[in-house]
């Protein structure tokens, strides 16, 4: 299985930026698509972004298109989420996840596409 550890969350003013990292171990990182989800208090976990294993196909939720960028460094076994123009509604715990299978396409937006999850990192955007 794949073990995932998120980092990079924090407190930021609206309009600011953060970069989240997801470090993977336990299985060949480059063979799996990856994704980001988030969950705010009182809300269901929602899809944010995903990237295929070769890093050339991406999928984004409509709410973050044009603001967030997902990319990966397979040498470092790390996936990133660059978050720009942050809004208060982006406040949530952000989770990274690894695809259940080694596919050429991009997984998501269904959470069931993913089999391994990190512990989450808190992102708080103030008004």
């Amino acid at each position: 299985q794949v073990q995932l550890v998120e980092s990079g969350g924090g407190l930021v003013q609206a309009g600011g930026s953060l970069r989240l990292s997801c470090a993977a171990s336990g299985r060949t990182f480059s063979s799996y698509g990856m994704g980001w989800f988030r969950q705010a208090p009182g809300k269901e976990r929602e899809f944010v972004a995903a990237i295929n294993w070769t890093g050339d196909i991406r999928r984004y939720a409509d709410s973050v298109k044009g603001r967030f960028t997902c990319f990966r460094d397979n040498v470092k076994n790390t996936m990133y989420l660059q978050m720009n123009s942050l809004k208060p509604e982006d406040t949530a715990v952000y989770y990274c996840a690894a695809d259940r299978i080694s596919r050429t396409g991009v997984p998501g937006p269904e959470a069931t596409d993913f089999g391994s999850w990190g512990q989450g990192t808190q992102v708080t955007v103030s008004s």
Side-chain angles (χ1 to χ4, degrees), residues 56-72:
D56 59 341
I57 308 173
R58 297 171 175 85
R59 183 193 303 274
Y60 297 100
D62 289 342
S63 59
V64 306
K65 285 181 179 178
R67 300 189 299 119
F68 291 10
T69 303
C70 182
F71 60 101
R72 65 193 296 164

Side-chain angles (χ1 to χ4, degrees), residues 48-99:
V48 176
I51 187 167
N52 72 326
W53 71 273
T54 53
D56 59 341
I57 308 173
R58 297 171 175 85
R59 183 193 303 274
Y60 297 100
D62 289 342
S63 59
V64 306
K65 285 181 179 178
R67 300 189 299 119
F68 291 10
T69 303
C70 182
F71 60 101
R72 65 193 296 164
D73 185 338
N74 288 348
V75 175
K76 295 183 177 180
N77 293 331
T78 302
M79 176 185 63
Y80 305 91
L81 184 68
Q82 179 66 45
M83 305 185 295
N84 298 327
S85 302
L86 282 162
K87 304 175 180 179
E89 53 261 43
D90 295 319
T91 296
V93 177
Y94 282 71
Y95 300 88
C96 68
D99 200 345

Side-chain angles (χ1 to χ4, degrees), residues 1-4 22-29 32 34 97-99 115-118:
Q1 307 303 314
V2 179
Q3 291 80 50
L4 305 171
C22 175
S25 63
R27 183 172 286 188
T28 303
F29 177 72
Y32 291 87
M34 302 287 291
D99 200 345
S116 300
W117 297 81

Side-chain angles (χ1 to χ4, degrees), residues 9-32:
L11 175 64
V12 65
Q13 295 282 339
S17 298
L18 285 173
R19 179 178 290 184
L20 305 184
S21 299
C22 175
S25 63
R27 183 172 286 188
T28 303
F29 177 72
S30 61
S31 296
Y32 291 87

